[in-house]
Amino acid sequence: MPLNIKILENKLLSDHWFVLRKLVFSLQKKDGTAVQQMREVYDRGNGATILLYNSLKNTLVLIRQFRMPTYMNGNPTGMLLETCAGLLDDDSPEECIRREAVEETGYAVGKVEKLFSAYMSPGGVTEIVHFFAAEYDESSRDNEGGGIEDEDIEVVELTFGEALAMVRDGRIRDGKTIMLLQHAQLKGWLKA
C-alpha cells in the first residue's frame, strides 16, 4: 500500500561531511487524515560490513578504532570493537567490502557470502548496510591492516566464545557486529 506523501519543505542544513536535510512533509494516514511532520535526515551514503571468520580455529577478526559519536555518548575512550566496514562510494557492496577488508584487517578475502541488507537507523539516517561473511586463514593475509591515511585501526583476533561474552558484558556494543555474530551463531559457523 503506497503512502500519500507531500514534501512541503526540503532545506539543506549541512554538506560539510555528508548531507543533512530538514524535511517538512504531509503524510496521509490509513484513516485518510493527514499529519504534518518535520524530520532532519542525514545522508551519509550506503555501506557494507563483513564478518571474517575461521571455522577451523573458531576465531574471527574484528577491528578497534576511535568513534567520536560513541565518545560523545558516554564511551570514555571512544574506542569501538567492530566488524570491518566502509562506505560504498562508487563501488558495489562486494567491491567495497573486499577493499575495506584488505585496508582495515590486512586479509584479502576469497569467496564472500552476501547475507542481507538493513537500514541501521531509519528514523534519521538514509544508510543501508550490506552484510557479508567470508572465511579467512593465514594464506589470505595480504598485509598488517590498520587502515589508510587518517585511520588508526587495531586488528583483533578473538575466539567466537570470547566475542559472544564481550557482547554480553558490553565490551562489544556495535550493532552491525552484534547482528553478524548472532547470524554466525544461528548458522552454526562457529562454536560458542
Side-chain angles (χ1 to χ4, degrees), residues 29-43:
K29 297 180 356 180
K30 288 183 268 185
D31 67 6
T33 62
V35 293
Q36 185 171 312
Q37 297 182 354
M38 186 282 296
R39 296 289 185 271
E40 288 183 358
V41 178
Y42 191 53
D43 184 356

Side-chain angles (χ1 to χ4, degrees), residues 2 33 56 73 80 87 100 135:
T33 62
L56 294 175
N73 195 20
L80 199 64
L87 293 175
E100 292 293 334
E135 290 225 36

Side-chain angles (χ1 to χ4, degrees), residues 106-122:
Y107 288 96
V109 294
K111 180 183 174 216
V112 297
E113 180 181 353
K114 172 78 181 277
L115 305 174
F116 52 87
S117 298
Y119 290 100
M120 296 303 290
S121 189

Side-chain angles (χ1 to χ4, degrees), residues 122-135:
V125 181
T126 62
E127 180 183 34
I128 295 173
V129 176
H130 303 275
F131 289 75
F132 292 86
E135 290 225 36

Side-chain angles (χ1 to χ4, degrees), residues 68-83:
M68 177 56 84
T70 73
Y71 179 76
M72 292 177 60
N73 195 20
N75 179 354
T77 65
M79 300 303 283
L80 199 64
L81 193 57
E82 59 188 287
T83 52

Side-chain angles (χ1 to χ4, degrees), residues 44 48-52 60-70 75 78-86 100 104-105 129 151-158 163 166-167 171-178 180-181:
R44 51 172 271 124
T49 186
I50 190 165
L51 179 67
L52 297 176
L60 51 98
V61 171
L62 299 177
I63 59 168
R64 182 178 287 119
Q65 64 182 319
F66 180 78
R67 298 295 199 182
M68 177 56 84
T70 73
N75 179 354
M79 300 303 283
L80 199 64
L81 193 57
E82 59 188 287
T83 52
C84 167
E100 292 293 334
E104 293 184 357
T105 71
V129 176
E151 295 177 319
D152 185 19
I153 294 173
E154 177 189 356
V155 180
V156 179
E157 186 174 44
L158 301 167
M166 293 172 91
V167 171
R171 287 178 289 161
I172 293 179
R173 299 181 72 185
D174 174 64
K176 67 186 179 305
T177 303
I178 294 168
L180 282 168
L181 293 173

